[in-house]
Amino acid sequence: MTAEAPVLDVRNISKSFGGIKAVDDVSFTVNRGEILGLIGPNGSGKSTLFNCILGQSRPDKGKVEVNGKPVLGMRPCDLSKRLGVARTFQMLQVFPQMTVLDNIILAGQEHSGTMLGRLMGASDAGLTESADRLIAFFRLGHLRDELAGSLSYGQQKLLDAAMAFMAGPQLVLLDEPAGGVNLTMLEHLKDRLSTYNRENGSTFVVIEHNMEFVMSLCTRILVLANGAIIAEGSPEEVRANPIVIEAYLGS
Ligand SMILES: Nc1ncnc2c1ncn2[C@@H]1O[C@H](COP(=O)(O)OP(=O)(O)OP(=O)(O)O)[C@@H](O)[C@H]1O
Ligand SMILES: [Mg+2]
């Protein structure tokens, strides 16, 4: 029996901006159902690595495969439709003048490439149903018809995360989903992500500075410093690794 191919296979990715090596020959794999944490000091290359993996930025070298298929150069909507890949960004991507429901529906249309239809006023009974299921899952029901801009920052971060799940992705890359979020919302977000992972067998890669969040959510952790992986292991191993402590203290 052959072993199952990794969901995500990142090989020798490098990316420089002028003289800065933002990502320096990074390789790693993620297996189905894993929640992989990606940590490292500010400016260590975490977001740039996500951008290289999912096409927002073109790497100088390296390759990326999802379920054995090369993905570099694919558009985000094709990544979503064909390979079931979604992501969130470090900065909020919600539209403040639209309701929670419409933000989620719009995310679904972006994934399926039918945004134009929505903007032209086409009806979307199926999408609304899916959006309502997602709203219920993330427990945003009481905010369904509120403008996103009227929500607290933590609620907007939760909405932002929920939007990535509209297409039922099997691989989700989340860039600081808990950044600036209060403790109650943080526990709620963690609970929803781990429940989704358990119920759907989906795979996550999570960038996060909140150590308590990362250590309790993730099954394995990669540590980046100056664009390169300096450590990898279970939360306990990484927490006790002197190289990791040094990288944070020295930053
Ligand atoms: N578009 C860009 N042009 C020039 N330099 C960039 C660009 N994007 C990132 N960098 C630089 O690349 C390095 C890595 O940045 P990146 O945003 O990937 O770090 P990060 O680990 O996500 O940091 P943070 O934890 O603060 O979000 C930094 O030195 C940053 O200044
Ligand atoms: Mg970043």
Side-chain angles (χ1 to χ4, degrees):
M1 210 174 84
T2 51
E4 192 179 16
V7 173
L8 177 64
D9 189 356
V10 174
R11 286 287 131 224
N12 307 109
I13 291 289
S14 290
K15 177 74 182 177
S16 293
F17 296 107
I20 299 170
K21 272 204 158 184
V23 178
D24 188 5
D25 200 31
V26 167
S27 299
F28 66 95
T29 59
V30 191
N31 293 320
R32 185 169 313 285
E34 267 196 295
I35 305 183
L36 179 76
L38 183 59
I39 67 171
N42 292 117
S44 54
K46 304 179 298 295
S47 295
T48 304
L49 181 58
F50 269 19
N51 290 343
C52 286
I53 292 171
L54 294 184
Q56 283 78 28
S57 189
R58 181 185 290 269
D60 302 328
K61 74 175 184 75
K63 64 174 190 158
V64 178
E65 291 184 350
V66 170
N67 290 322
K69 297 193 182 65
V71 300
L72 289 184
M74 275 177 82
R75 295 179 307 162
C77 70
D78 289 329
L79 275 168
S80 171
K81 262 192 297 187
R82 296 197 200 150
L83 299 175
V85 182
R87 75 167 292 184
T88 70
F89 290 84
Q90 194 165 341
M91 303 292 289
L92 276 175
Q93 301 289 305
V94 305
F95 290 96
Q97 313 286 19
M98 291 171 60
T99 65
V100 166
L101 176 68
D102 281 344
N103 265 285
I104 292 189
I105 288 175
L106 193 62
Q109 283 159 333
E110 277 182 71
H111 292 313
S112 63
T114 59
M115 186 155 61
L116 195 62
R118 177 72 181 182
L119 294 174
M120 305 288 282
S123 85
D124 273 312
L127 269 178
T128 304
E129 238 174 73
S130 308
D132 273 325
R133 269 199 301 274
L134 205 57
I135 284 170
F137 180 81
F138 281 93
R139 306 206 175 113
L140 285 163
H142 58 301
L143 301 168
R144 178 186 189 267
D145 300 313
E146 301 290 330
L147 294 182
S150 72
L151 272 51
S152 72
Y153 182 74
Q155 289 168 333
Q156 290 189 50
K157 285 292 277 185
L158 185 65
L159 168 61
D160 193 60
M163 285 160 66
F165 289 85
M166 190 52 183
Q170 57 143 320
L171 171 64
V172 190
L173 276 61
L174 300 120
D175 195 344
E176 299 198 26
V181 170
N182 75 33
L183 201 61
T184 310
M185 189 56 84
L186 197 126
E187 285 301 321
H188 177 54
L189 178 65
K190 193 168 70 185
D191 169 67
R192 292 296 82 196
L193 291 176
S194 55
T195 301
Y196 194 97
N197 163 265
R198 205 171 48 247
E199 289 180 353
N200 299 284
S202 49
T203 308
F204 300 152
V205 184
V206 184
I207 295 176
E208 192 42 68
H209 284 291
N210 186 311
M211 287 302 150
E212 200 283 320
F213 184 87
V214 172
M215 298 286 169
S216 53
L217 177 68
C218 299
T219 42
R220 184 163 64 95
I221 294 172
L222 285 183
V223 189
L224 273 188
N226 298 317
I229 294 175
I230 57 160
E232 189 244 315
S234 68
E236 296 72 32
E237 287 165 343
V238 163
R239 199 198 297 267
N241 188 330
I243 296 169
V244 178
I245 296 163
E246 170 66 27
Y248 274 91
L249 292 178
S251 70

Short mmCIF file of all heavy atoms in Angstrom, two decimals, residues 73-110:
data_model
loop_
_atom_site.label_atom_id
_atom_site.label_comp_id
_atom_site.label_asym_id
_atom_site.label_seq_id
_atom_site.Cartn_x
_atom_site.Cartn_y
_atom_site.Cartn_z
N GLY A 73 0.90 29.65 -10.02
CA GLY A 73 0.33 30.27 -11.22
C GLY A 73 -1.17 30.14 -11.31
O GLY A 73 -1.80 30.77 -12.15
N MET A 74 -1.79 29.29 -10.45
CA MET A 74 -3.25 29.16 -10.51
C MET A 74 -3.93 30.35 -9.85
O MET A 74 -3.44 30.90 -8.87
CB MET A 74 -3.70 27.88 -9.78
CG MET A 74 -3.66 26.66 -10.66
SD MET A 74 -4.11 25.18 -9.73
CE MET A 74 -5.87 25.26 -9.78
N ARG A 75 -5.09 30.75 -10.38
CA ARG A 75 -5.84 31.85 -9.79
C ARG A 75 -6.56 31.37 -8.52
O ARG A 75 -6.95 30.20 -8.45
CB ARG A 75 -6.89 32.37 -10.78
CG ARG A 75 -6.28 33.01 -12.03
CD ARG A 75 -7.37 33.47 -12.97
NE ARG A 75 -8.33 32.37 -13.26
CZ ARG A 75 -9.53 32.56 -13.76
NH1 ARG A 75 -9.96 33.77 -14.02
NH2 ARG A 75 -10.33 31.53 -14.01
N PRO A 76 -6.78 32.29 -7.55
CA PRO A 76 -7.45 31.88 -6.31
C PRO A 76 -8.79 31.18 -6.53
O PRO A 76 -9.10 30.20 -5.85
CB PRO A 76 -7.65 33.21 -5.57
CG PRO A 76 -6.53 34.07 -6.06
CD PRO A 76 -6.31 33.68 -7.49
N CYS A 77 -9.60 31.63 -7.52
CA CYS A 77 -10.91 30.98 -7.70
C CYS A 77 -10.73 29.57 -8.25
O CYS A 77 -11.52 28.67 -7.94
CB CYS A 77 -11.86 31.83 -8.55
SG CYS A 77 -11.42 31.95 -10.28
N ASP A 78 -9.67 29.34 -9.05
CA ASP A 78 -9.41 27.98 -9.54
C ASP A 78 -8.87 27.09 -8.43
O ASP A 78 -9.21 25.90 -8.34
CB ASP A 78 -8.42 28.01 -10.71
CG ASP A 78 -9.06 28.59 -11.96
OD1 ASP A 78 -10.29 28.40 -12.12
OD2 ASP A 78 -8.37 29.24 -12.74
N LEU A 79 -8.02 27.68 -7.57
CA LEU A 79 -7.54 26.93 -6.41
C LEU A 79 -8.71 26.47 -5.57
O LEU A 79 -8.74 25.34 -5.07
CB LEU A 79 -6.63 27.82 -5.55
CG LEU A 79 -5.17 27.92 -5.95
CD1 LEU A 79 -4.49 29.04 -5.20
CD2 LEU A 79 -4.48 26.59 -5.67
N SER A 80 -9.69 27.34 -5.43
CA SER A 80 -10.86 27.02 -4.62
C SER A 80 -11.73 25.97 -5.30
O SER A 80 -12.06 24.95 -4.72
CB SER A 80 -11.65 28.31 -4.37
OG SER A 80 -12.88 28.01 -3.77
N LYS A 81 -12.07 26.24 -6.55
CA LYS A 81 -13.01 25.36 -7.27
C LYS A 81 -12.42 23.99 -7.55
O LYS A 81 -13.04 22.97 -7.36
CB LYS A 81 -13.38 26.01 -8.62
CG LYS A 81 -14.69 26.74 -8.59
CD LYS A 81 -15.15 27.12 -9.99
CE LYS A 81 -14.20 28.07 -10.69
NZ LYS A 81 -14.68 28.58 -11.97
N ARG A 82 -11.17 23.98 -8.05
CA ARG A 82 -10.60 22.71 -8.51
C ARG A 82 -9.93 21.93 -7.39
O ARG A 82 -9.93 20.71 -7.39
CB ARG A 82 -9.56 22.96 -9.60
CG ARG A 82 -10.17 23.58 -10.83
CD ARG A 82 -9.23 23.45 -12.00
NE ARG A 82 -9.56 24.42 -13.02
CZ ARG A 82 -8.68 24.96 -13.85
NH1 ARG A 82 -7.42 24.61 -13.78
NH2 ARG A 82 -9.06 25.81 -14.76
N LEU A 83 -9.30 22.66 -6.44
CA LEU A 83 -8.51 21.95 -5.44
C LEU A 83 -9.00 22.13 -4.01
O LEU A 83 -8.44 21.56 -3.08
CB LEU A 83 -7.04 22.40 -5.54
CG LEU A 83 -6.35 22.11 -6.88
CD1 LEU A 83 -4.95 22.70 -6.90
CD2 LEU A 83 -6.28 20.61 -7.15
N GLY A 84 -10.06 22.92 -3.83
CA GLY A 84 -10.62 23.07 -2.49
C GLY A 84 -9.71 23.80 -1.51
O GLY A 84 -9.65 23.45 -0.34
N VAL A 85 -8.99 24.81 -2.02
CA VAL A 85 -8.07 25.56 -1.16
C VAL A 85 -8.62 26.96 -0.91
O VAL A 85 -9.11 27.62 -1.83
CB VAL A 85 -6.69 25.70 -1.85
CG1 VAL A 85 -5.71 26.43 -0.93
CG2 VAL A 85 -6.14 24.34 -2.24
N ALA A 86 -8.56 27.42 0.34
CA ALA A 86 -8.99 28.78 0.68
C ALA A 86 -8.00 29.40 1.65
O ALA A 86 -7.18 28.69 2.24
CB ALA A 86 -10.38 28.73 1.31
N ARG A 87 -8.07 30.71 1.80
CA ARG A 87 -7.18 31.38 2.74
C ARG A 87 -7.86 32.59 3.36
O ARG A 87 -8.85 33.09 2.84
CB ARG A 87 -5.87 31.83 2.07
CG ARG A 87 -6.01 33.05 1.18
CD ARG A 87 -4.64 33.63 0.82
NE ARG A 87 -3.97 34.22 1.96
CZ ARG A 87 -2.80 34.86 1.91
NH1 ARG A 87 -2.17 34.98 0.77
NH2 ARG A 87 -2.25 35.37 2.98
N THR A 88 -7.30 33.05 4.49
CA THR A 88 -7.64 34.37 5.02
C THR A 88 -6.37 35.20 4.99
O THR A 88 -5.26 34.67 4.91
CB THR A 88 -8.17 34.31 6.47
OG1 THR A 88 -7.08 33.97 7.34
CG2 THR A 88 -9.29 33.31 6.62
N PHE A 89 -6.55 36.53 5.06
CA PHE A 89 -5.42 37.46 5.05
C PHE A 89 -5.23 38.06 6.43
O PHE A 89 -6.15 38.08 7.25
CB PHE A 89 -5.66 38.56 4.01
CG PHE A 89 -5.58 38.06 2.60
CD1 PHE A 89 -6.68 37.48 1.99
CD2 PHE A 89 -4.38 38.13 1.89
CE1 PHE A 89 -6.61 36.99 0.69
CE2 PHE A 89 -4.30 37.65 0.59
CZ PHE A 89 -5.41 37.08 -0.01
N GLN A 90 -4.00 38.57 6.64
CA GLN A 90 -3.69 39.19 7.93
C GLN A 90 -4.63 40.39 8.19
O GLN A 90 -5.11 40.59 9.30
CB GLN A 90 -2.23 39.63 7.91
CG GLN A 90 -1.66 39.97 9.25
CD GLN A 90 -0.13 40.03 9.21
OE1 GLN A 90 0.50 39.48 8.31
NE2 GLN A 90 0.46 40.67 10.18
N MET A 91 -4.86 41.19 7.14
CA MET A 91 -5.76 42.33 7.25
C MET A 91 -7.20 41.86 6.97
O MET A 91 -7.41 41.05 6.08
CB MET A 91 -5.40 43.41 6.21
CG MET A 91 -3.98 43.90 6.29
SD MET A 91 -3.66 44.84 7.77
CE MET A 91 -4.58 46.33 7.42
N LEU A 92 -8.14 42.41 7.71
CA LEU A 92 -9.56 42.06 7.51
C LEU A 92 -9.96 42.25 6.05
O LEU A 92 -9.61 43.24 5.43
CB LEU A 92 -10.44 42.96 8.37
CG LEU A 92 -10.68 42.58 9.82
CD1 LEU A 92 -11.48 43.68 10.50
CD2 LEU A 92 -11.41 41.25 9.93
N GLN A 93 -10.73 41.30 5.53
CA GLN A 93 -11.19 41.39 4.14
C GLN A 93 -12.70 41.59 4.04
O GLN A 93 -13.28 41.40 2.98
CB GLN A 93 -10.80 40.11 3.38
CG GLN A 93 -9.31 39.81 3.35
CD GLN A 93 -8.54 40.76 2.46
OE1 GLN A 93 -8.85 40.91 1.29
NE2 GLN A 93 -7.55 41.43 3.03
N VAL A 94 -13.36 41.92 5.17
CA VAL A 94 -14.82 42.06 5.12
C VAL A 94 -15.20 43.42 4.52
O VAL A 94 -14.43 44.37 4.59
CB VAL A 94 -15.47 41.91 6.53
CG1 VAL A 94 -15.07 40.61 7.18
CG2 VAL A 94 -15.11 43.09 7.43
N PHE A 95 -16.39 43.46 3.93
CA PHE A 95 -16.91 44.72 3.39
C PHE A 95 -17.81 45.35 4.46
O PHE A 95 -18.90 44.83 4.73
CB PHE A 95 -17.71 44.47 2.11
CG PHE A 95 -16.84 44.07 0.95
CD1 PHE A 95 -16.66 42.73 0.63
CD2 PHE A 95 -16.18 45.02 0.19
CE1 PHE A 95 -15.84 42.35 -0.42
CE2 PHE A 95 -15.36 44.66 -0.86
CZ PHE A 95 -15.19 43.32 -1.18
N PRO A 96 -17.36 46.47 5.08
CA PRO A 96 -18.09 47.02 6.22
C PRO A 96 -19.50 47.49 5.88
O PRO A 96 -20.37 47.49 6.73
CB PRO A 96 -17.21 48.19 6.68
CG PRO A 96 -16.22 48.44 5.60
CD PRO A 96 -16.12 47.20 4.78
N GLN A 97 -19.74 47.89 4.62
CA GLN A 97 -21.07 48.43 4.25
C GLN A 97 -22.06 47.34 3.87
O GLN A 97 -23.19 47.63 3.49
CB GLN A 97 -20.95 49.38 3.04
CG GLN A 97 -19.86 50.40 3.15
CD GLN A 97 -20.19 51.50 4.14
OE1 GLN A 97 -21.06 51.35 4.99
NE2 GLN A 97 -19.50 52.63 4.03
N MET A 98 -21.61 46.07 3.92
CA MET A 98 -22.52 44.97 3.57
C MET A 98 -22.86 44.19 4.84
O MET A 98 -22.10 44.20 5.80
CB MET A 98 -21.84 44.04 2.56
CG MET A 98 -21.67 44.68 1.19
SD MET A 98 -20.66 43.67 0.09
CE MET A 98 -21.62 42.17 0.02
N THR A 99 -23.99 43.51 4.81
CA THR A 99 -24.38 42.71 5.98
C THR A 99 -23.47 41.49 6.11
O THR A 99 -22.76 41.11 5.17
CB THR A 99 -25.83 42.21 5.87
OG1 THR A 99 -25.89 41.31 4.76
CG2 THR A 99 -26.82 43.34 5.69
N VAL A 100 -23.55 40.88 7.29
CA VAL A 100 -22.81 39.64 7.53
C VAL A 100 -23.19 38.60 6.47
O VAL A 100 -22.33 37.97 5.84
CB VAL A 100 -23.12 39.13 8.97
CG1 VAL A 100 -22.67 37.69 9.16
CG2 VAL A 100 -22.47 40.06 9.99
N LEU A 101 -24.50 38.45 6.25
CA LEU A 101 -24.98 37.46 5.27
C LEU A 101 -24.41 37.74 3.88
O LEU A 101 -23.89 36.84 3.22
CB LEU A 101 -26.52 37.48 5.21
CG LEU A 101 -27.13 36.57 4.15
CD1 LEU A 101 -26.92 35.10 4.50
CD2 LEU A 101 -28.63 36.84 3.97
N ASP A 102 -24.48 39.00 3.45
CA ASP A 102 -24.01 39.32 2.10
C ASP A 102 -22.50 39.17 1.96
O ASP A 102 -22.00 38.79 0.89
CB ASP A 102 -24.46 40.73 1.70
CG ASP A 102 -25.93 40.73 1.26
OD1 ASP A 102 -26.45 39.64 0.98
OD2 ASP A 102 -26.52 41.82 1.20
N ASN A 103 -21.75 39.45 3.03
CA ASN A 103 -20.30 39.21 2.98
C ASN A 103 -20.02 37.73 2.73
O ASN A 103 -19.16 37.38 1.93
CB ASN A 103 -19.65 39.63 4.31
CG ASN A 103 -19.10 41.05 4.26
OD1 ASN A 103 -18.06 41.30 3.67
ND2 ASN A 103 -19.82 41.98 4.86
N ILE A 104 -20.76 36.87 3.42
CA ILE A 104 -20.51 35.44 3.29
C ILE A 104 -20.94 34.94 1.91
O ILE A 104 -20.24 34.16 1.26
CB ILE A 104 -21.20 34.66 4.44
CG1 ILE A 104 -20.48 35.03 5.75
CG2 ILE A 104 -21.16 33.17 4.19
CD1 ILE A 104 -20.87 34.22 6.94
N ILE A 105 -22.08 35.45 1.43
CA ILE A 105 -22.54 35.06 0.09
C ILE A 105 -21.52 35.51 -0.96
O ILE A 105 -21.16 34.76 -1.87
CB ILE A 105 -23.94 35.66 -0.21
CG1 ILE A 105 -24.99 34.92 0.62
CG2 ILE A 105 -24.26 35.57 -1.69
CD1 ILE A 105 -26.39 35.51 0.50
N LEU A 106 -21.03 36.74 -0.80
CA LEU A 106 -20.06 37.27 -1.76
C LEU A 106 -18.79 36.41 -1.76
O LEU A 106 -18.23 36.13 -2.83
CB LEU A 106 -19.72 38.72 -1.39
CG LEU A 106 -18.97 39.50 -2.46
CD1 LEU A 106 -19.80 39.62 -3.73
CD2 LEU A 106 -18.62 40.89 -1.96
N ALA A 107 -18.37 35.98 -0.58
CA ALA A 107 -17.19 35.10 -0.52
C ALA A 107 -17.46 33.82 -1.30
O ALA A 107 -16.59 33.34 -2.03
CB ALA A 107 -16.86 34.79 0.94
N GLY A 108 -18.66 33.29 -1.18
CA GLY A 108 -19.03 32.07 -1.93
C GLY A 108 -18.99 32.31 -3.42
O GLY A 108 -18.57 31.46 -4.19
N GLN A 109 -19.42 33.49 -3.83
CA GLN A 109 -19.41 33.78 -5.27
C GLN A 109 -18.00 34.01 -5.79
O GLN A 109 -17.68 33.63 -6.92
CB GLN A 109 -20.29 35.00 -5.53
CG GLN A 109 -21.74 34.60 -5.49
CD GLN A 109 -22.65 35.77 -5.24
OE1 GLN A 109 -22.25 36.76 -4.64
NE2 GLN A 109 -23.87 35.67 -5.70
N GLU A 110 -17.16 34.61 -4.95
CA GLU A 110 -15.76 34.77 -5.38
C GLU A 110 -15.13 33.41 -5.60
O GLU A 110 -14.43 33.18 -6.57
CB GLU A 110 -14.97 35.52 -4.30
CG GLU A 110 -15.12 37.01 -4.38
CD GLU A 110 -14.28 37.69 -3.32
OE1 GLU A 110 -13.06 37.69 -3.44
OE2 GLU A 110 -14.89 38.19 -2.36
#
